[in-house]
């Protein structure tokens, strides 16, 4: 199963919509995870035309994003892999242990907030921050992530956008 992981889109404040390259990168996915800071649930509706969407509430999301169905944390099982998601994972120091304690059964934890793309494997825990397709801040590029789950295993890669 191919899953798109997006975060910190801040639409329509940082961009009117996602860049064309982002839409292209996620066009064939079967599920979309958004790590929060959507800003407007209309984007979640657009994404839902591609695949089902699950979303964590970000620190700048208005109540309308929660009313859409976003929650503080998301936990689901996909293809035998436990995936968890939240917006802010806290500081990089101690992150793997902190997320392991928060989600003891998770094999993948997706998060955003920093806009810094990250794919890190820590023993049996994959940490994934998709960065941002619209507001790179200190990141070198705009990014989204693709998470592939097959045979009970997960692998992730960042997609750099032009």
């Amino acid at each position: 199963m191919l899953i798109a992981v997006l975060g910190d889109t801040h639409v329509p404040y940082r961009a009117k919509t996602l860049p064309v390259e982002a839409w292209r990168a996620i066009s064939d996915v079967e599920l979309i995870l958004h790590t929060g800071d959507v800003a407007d649930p209309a984007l979640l509706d657009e994404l839902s035309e591609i695949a089902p969407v699950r979303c964590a509430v970000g620190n700048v999301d208005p109540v309308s994003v929660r009313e859409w169905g976003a929650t503080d944390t998301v936990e689901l099982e996909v293809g035998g892999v436990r995936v968890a998601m939240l917006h802010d994972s806290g500081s990089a120091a101690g992150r793997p242990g902190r997320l392991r304690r928060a989600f003891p059964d998770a094999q993948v934890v997706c998060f955003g907030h920093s806009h810094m793309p990250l794919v890190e494997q820590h023993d049996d825990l994959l940490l994934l921050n998709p960065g941002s397709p619209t507001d790179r801040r200190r990141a070198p590029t705009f990014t989204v992530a693709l998470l592939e789950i097959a045979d009970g295993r997960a692998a992730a890669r960042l997609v750099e956008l032009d």
Side-chain angles (χ1 to χ4, degrees), residues 6 9 11-12 15-19 23 26-27 29 32 34 38 40-53 68:
L6 306 172
T9 50
V11 169
K16 290 182 182 174
T17 188
L18 299 181
W23 288 111
I26 68 172
S27 65
V29 301
I32 299 171
H34 197 298
V38 178
D40 185 343
L43 176 63
L44 298 172
D45 290 334
E46 281 186 82
L47 292 169
S48 294
E49 294 175 16
I50 295 171
V53 176
W68 180 91

Side-chain angles (χ1 to χ4, degrees), residues 46-88:
E46 281 186 82
L47 292 169
S48 294
E49 294 175 16
I50 295 171
V53 176
R54 299 289 303 272
C55 183
V57 175
N59 61 297
V60 301
D61 283 328
V63 70
S64 58
V65 171
R66 191 177 293 278
E67 289 169 348
W68 180 91
T71 53
D72 292 326
T73 61
V74 175
E75 295 183 67
L76 61 153
E77 185 174 320
V78 181
V81 174
R82 298 288 307 161
V83 179
M85 183 171 57
L86 74 166
H87 180 62
D88 185 357

Side-chain angles (χ1 to χ4, degrees), residues 31-156:
L31 177 66
I32 299 171
L33 302 178
H34 197 298
T35 64
D37 279 1
V38 178
D40 185 343
L43 176 63
L44 298 172
D45 290 334
E46 281 186 82
L47 292 169
S48 294
E49 294 175 16
I50 295 171
V53 176
R54 299 289 303 272
C55 183
V57 175
N59 61 297
V60 301
D61 283 328
V63 70
S64 58
V65 171
R66 191 177 293 278
E67 289 169 348
W68 180 91
T71 53
D72 292 326
T73 61
V74 175
E75 295 183 67
L76 61 153
E77 185 174 320
V78 181
V81 174
R82 298 288 307 161
V83 179
M85 183 171 57
L86 74 166
H87 180 62
D88 185 357
S89 69
S91 71
R95 181 184 288 141
R98 189 171 51 252
L99 292 176
R100 170 55 66 217
R101 288 187 298 278
F103 304 104
D105 298 325
Q107 293 159 278
V108 179
V109 178
C110 303
F111 58 93
H113 188 61
S114 69
H115 298 219
M116 294 299 293
L118 173 80
V119 176
E120 284 184 351
Q121 188 73 47
H122 294 270
D123 297 321
D124 63 343
L125 181 62
L126 175 63
L127 301 182
L128 174 59
N129 183 331
S132 174
T134 59
D135 184 12
R136 67 179 180 84
R137 290 189 185 169
R138 296 180 320 265
T141 59
F142 297 99
T143 54
V144 297
L146 294 174
L147 176 64
E148 188 165 2
I149 296 179
D151 301 321
R153 295 179 183 257

